[in-house]
Amino acid sequence: MSSQNNNAELKLDGKSYSLPVIEGTEGERAFDISALRAQTGHITMDDGYGNTGSCLSKITFIDGETGILRYRGIPIEELAEKSTFVEVAHLLIMGRLPIRAELRRFSVVLTRYEMLHEDMKFHFEGFPATAHPMAMLSSMINAASCFYPELLEPESDDFEIEAARLLSQVRTIAAFSYRKSRGLPIIYPKPSYKYTANFLHMMFSEPYQDYELNPEVVRALDLIFLLHADHEQNCSTATVRMVASSKANLFASSAAGVCALWGPLHGGANQAVLEMLNEIHKAGDDGSRFVAAAKDKKSGKRLMGFGHRIYRNYDPRAKIIKKACDDLLAKLKRSDPLLDIAKHLEQVALSDPYFVERKLYPNVDFYSGIIMRAIGIPLEMFTVIFAIGRMPGWIANYREVNEDPNSRIYRPRQIYMGATQNPYVPIDERS
Ligand code: CMC
């Protein structure tokens, strides 16, 4: 295959085919193969989609080689320092940073929709106490759509309202799921509280006593939400787009995203990192046994919180989180042996040829759990926190699919490797 004048030439079976080359605003280039099968009878094969661009998007840019992440063009470092989760949610969903009046309106709408329909409480009652909060979260996001039949009418609602309702309610559902899993009474949201403070209130207040909000804690959790807000075509976002492409509603598409996020190779890694650090701590090991196991393919273990499909460099979010982790523990005047283990593990891994050669660096999940632990968020809620944070990205991607006039249902092909034609054998004649 060769590339010339924005067209690549493919030579196949003595014939030559011209494939247009698409170039993104940051110089990333792709061969447009949408006509390939019609022209050549061939499809492309790309296990795990490592080389497949599934869409054109204007939301998030990542350069994994140099460790760059930008939301709508704005570097993550600047947003982390100067912005808030709600402002970033507006940026991602609406496409621009809000002016004051827009931010006020967005906050008012978030507050207006923070309450769940009262009948949703009966759904929570149906879950066993042992239910994982991620299972409850995805089920309840779907259940919420039953209470808003207008969602089932395509394009019948104001998108900003629909988006704000989901963004607001995911936080209420998440906190209710936690309270339910602990057998604690549900705490309703407080309209006077801002987004993240309100979540902490619903998690930790008691009917007889309000949780004392520490601004450092609120800021640290807000930062975690913000850093998770979008990450282009990761497994859960690609899932949301896939479901959205069938014209399923926003709640159904996002509930599918929650399910995809749950896995330990994706959002579930933050829980797995803490479990790993705890295991090392309990064993009184310095982590070298775990690192050795992670390098041994037969062990089935991986160094959780390390490695990334896109980053072949330090994940820029991990740098920010590591510093935030140190800052928060210092401000709370606490130390955590798990932080020391994590830092030691990082040091060991980054000087080990196995990790160096494969360009495996800490990712966003490596230090986030230690912040959440310091805040008092229980282990089983870690991935739920990731889901709340990722919601603006899912909503923005859902919107992009829906507003694209050329959007078609997502439908990959396959190369069939199964049995060739077989006769049906009646049950009594089968061996
Ligand atoms: N520990 C040990 N070896 C690893 C690790 C790890 N954490 N990650 C990758 N490798 C090895 C892998 O075995 C392979 O080795 P070889 O070339 O000898 O076969 C090589 O590095 C390339 O890995 P890969 O599996 O082809 O990479 P991938 O792009 O398919 O997977 C990943 C990316 C994130 C799933 C993987 O790095 C991993 O499992 N990491 C641990 C789980 C984790 O922290 N996930 C959170 C990702 S960041 C948050 C998010 O986006 O969800």
Side-chain angles (χ1 to χ4, degrees):
M1 188 122 64
S2 60
S3 168
Q4 225 178 15
N5 299 333
N6 283 337
N7 270 311
E9 198 184 323
L10 171 70
K11 291 208 167 111
L12 187 71
D13 299 335
K15 282 193 190 154
S16 166
Y17 302 92
S18 180
L19 302 177
V21 172
I22 299 172
E23 186 164 334
T25 51
E26 290 284 352
E28 195 159 39
R29 305 177 97 206
F31 304 118
D32 178 353
I33 54 148
S34 45
L36 189 70
R37 186 170 179 275
Q39 287 175 352
T40 70
H42 289 60
I43 60 170
T44 54
M45 196 53 219
D46 183 18
D47 190 27
Y49 304 140
N51 287 288
T52 295
S54 60
C55 60
L56 301 178
S57 178
K58 294 184 175 165
I59 304 169
T60 288
F61 171 68
I62 302 176
D63 181 338
E65 311 302 325
T66 53
I68 289 174
L69 168 61
R70 298 187 202 127
Y71 296 160
R72 302 279 186 190
I74 305 177
I76 193 69
E77 293 79 4
E78 265 193 89
L79 291 168
E81 193 191 325
K82 300 174 188 164
S83 190
T84 62
F85 175 62
V86 167
E87 194 181 58
V88 161
H90 189 287
L91 171 70
L92 289 167
I93 298 168
M94 307 302 168
R96 59 180 190 284
L97 285 171
I99 58 169
R100 277 187 198 286
E102 286 172 328
L103 186 58
R104 241 189 333 266
R105 177 185 144 81
F106 195 48
S107 302
V108 165
V109 187
L110 284 172
T111 303
R112 186 181 308 150
Y113 292 107
E114 65 192 2
M115 290 287 285
L116 303 180
H117 192 288
E118 191 61 8
D119 289 349
M120 291 266 289
K121 275 205 326 206
F122 300 115
H123 290 259
F124 279 104
E125 279 165 22
F127 290 109
T130 50
H132 195 287
M134 282 298 272
M136 285 193 257
L137 187 67
S138 73
S139 316
M140 296 306 280
I141 289 175
N142 241 329
S145 72
C146 307
F147 294 91
Y148 312 112
E150 63 274 21
L151 285 180
L152 306 177
E153 306 284 326
E155 291 151 36
S156 66
D157 210 349
D158 174 345
F159 189 77
E160 185 181 351
I161 304 258
E162 213 175 286
R165 179 150 55 194
L166 178 55
L167 189 60
S168 188
Q169 294 194 350
V170 68
R171 163 192 60 166
T172 314
I173 293 171
F176 281 20
S177 303
Y178 163 68
R179 305 285 303 180
K180 160 75 192 165
S181 70
R182 294 288 163 110
L184 297 167
I186 277 170
I187 302 293
Y188 288 105
K190 259 197 187 182
S192 59
Y193 283 170
K194 292 199 165 142
Y195 191 92
T196 302
N198 212 349
F199 174 67
L200 285 163
H201 157 71
M202 286 189 276
M203 286 280 290
F204 299 127
S205 286
E206 295 301 341
Y208 49 86
Q209 191 172 28
D210 269 4
Y211 169 75
E212 210 174 300
L213 289 165
N214 175 337
E216 302 295 347
V217 166
V218 176
R219 174 68 195 141
L221 185 57
D222 199 76
L223 179 69
I224 289 192
F225 287 152
L226 182 157
L227 292 175
H228 285 88
D230 195 38
H231 212 235
E232 55 121 293
Q233 299 313 310
N234 54 85
C235 178
S236 56
T237 303
T239 300
V240 169
R241 287 187 83 114
M242 169 75 82
V243 179
S245 79
S246 77
K247 301 288 172 211
N249 69 65
L250 175 65
F251 280 55
S253 305
S254 303
V258 173
C259 294
L261 187 74
W262 193 358
L265 296 189
H266 190 11
N270 54 15
Q271 179 173 340
V273 169
L274 245 276
E275 284 163 355
M276 173 184 81
L277 296 176
N278 262 324
E279 199 181 314
I280 295 170
H281 184 50
K282 277 193 199 134
D285 177 24
D286 66 349
S288 40
R289 266 191 289 161
F290 208 99
V291 170
K295 293 193 295 184
D296 175 7
K297 301 275 188 275
K298 283 184 249 129
S299 74
K301 293 208 174 193
R302 282 192 164 193
L303 190 56
M304 300 313 284
F306 252 73
H308 199 277
R309 170 63 62 82
I310 304 291
Y311 293 118
R312 299 299 172 198
N313 203 319
Y314 216 109
D315 179 337
R317 302 166 300 172
K319 270 191 203 155
I320 300 168
I321 289 193
K322 185 179 177 185
K323 181 170 178 311
C325 194
D326 280 330
D327 290 351
L328 182 68
L329 290 183
K331 279 173 188 146
L332 297 180
K333 297 194 175 46
R334 280 204 221 144
S335 62
D336 186 340
L338 298 196
L339 178 60
D340 302 332
I341 294 174
K343 283 184 176 169
H344 179 70
L345 265 188
E346 177 185 337
Q347 221 178 19
V348 170
L350 293 184
S351 53
D352 186 311
Y354 175 95
F355 294 91
V356 174
E357 279 158 21
R358 289 169 179 76
K359 298 190 176 154
L360 301 170
Y361 292 87
N363 60 47
V364 68
D365 293 318
F366 197 62
Y367 288 105
S368 63
I370 296 170
I371 298 191
M372 290 193 261
R373 195 167 122 101
I375 293 174
I377 291 169
L379 198 58
E380 72 275 14
M381 284 295 286
F382 284 12
T383 315
V384 172
I385 299 291
F386 192 154
I388 299 174
R390 185 54 53 86
M391 194 52 81
W394 290 338
I395 295 172
N397 275 274
Y398 174 92
R399 183 177 203 183
E400 208 168 61
V401 172
N402 267 275
E403 290 184 355
D404 176 1
N406 301 318
S407 166
R408 296 199 299 161
I409 189 164
Y410 286 18
R411 204 312 186 176
R413 286 184 176 266
Q414 64 167 18
I415 299 292
Y416 176 69
M417 303 293 269
T420 51
Q421 189 168 337
N422 261 333
Y424 176 82
V425 181
I427 194 159
D428 293 332
E429 294 168 28
R430 291 175 209 161
S431 54

